[in-house]
């Protein structure tokens, strides 16, 4: 009789394990669309400043970031780093185009600058281009790198 009980207990255990495996994919499937909506970061960069007065690559300022689209609007985030600590500012330029024309915006830092949620550009307004450039020096036009596409 103990052999029959052991077989029944084993069959019950196997059945419960199979039922758990069948339920698990359904549980993860219901959370997958929520994860897809929140993981919409599109990374770009890094973009570097130009060379100036004997600097090497390790002393160039740089910017890296990402963009998201929420509610039909494009938002931009990123970090600007000044690696040479020479008491000159680092600048990051943003240039974009929409149905109203071309626009620019400049941010600057001594050391590290965090750009949090810049933009809010509507896709329906003809927003179709976004470029980034990094400069470093006493003026926002000094030692500029090339414009790079971020969008």
């Amino acid at each position: 009789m103990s052999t029959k009980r052991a077989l029944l207990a084993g069959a019950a255990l196997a059945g419960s394990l199979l039922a758990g495996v069948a339920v698990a994919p359904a549980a993860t499937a219901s959370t997958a669309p929520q994860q897809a909506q929140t993981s919409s970061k599109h990374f770009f960069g890094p973009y570097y400043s130009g060379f100036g007065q004997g600097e090497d690559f390790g002393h160039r300022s740089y910017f890296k970031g990402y963009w998201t689209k929420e509610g039909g609007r494009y938002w931009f985030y990123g970090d600007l780093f000044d690696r040479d600590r020479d008491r000159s500012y680092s600048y990051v330029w943003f240039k974009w185009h929409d149905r109203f024309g071309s626009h620019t915006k400049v941010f600057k830092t001594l050391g590290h600058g965090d750009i949090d949620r810049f933009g809010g550009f509507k896709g329906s307004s003809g927003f179709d281009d976004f470029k980034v450039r990094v400069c470093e020096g006493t003026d926002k036009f000094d030692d500029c790198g090339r414009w790079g596409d971020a969008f």
Side-chain angles (χ1 to χ4, degrees), residues 35-50:
Q35 291 173 349
Q37 291 173 355
T38 60
S39 64
S40 60
K41 292 181 180 179
H42 303 276
F43 292 91
F44 57 90
Y47 302 103
Y48 295 92
S49 63

Side-chain angles (χ1 to χ4, degrees), residues 83-134:
R83 296 191 292 183
D84 63 3
R85 297 178 178 30
D86 62 355
R87 299 184 195 260
S88 292
Y89 280 99
S90 292
Y91 303 87
V92 61
W93 286 80
F94 298 113
K95 180 169 67 172
W96 67 94
H97 180 266
D98 59 19
R99 71 176 181 211
F100 304 108
S102 293
H103 314 277
T104 58
K105 174 81 175 165
V106 178
F107 293 93
K108 69 179 183 177
T109 188
L110 277 172
H112 172 240
D114 182 33
I115 296 167
D116 189 30
R117 201 169 167 94
F118 165 70
F121 309 113
K122 287 185 179 180
S124 61
S125 70
F127 174 71
D128 60 358
D129 190 22
F130 192 81
K131 296 184 184 291
V132 177
R133 178 171 75 170
V134 178

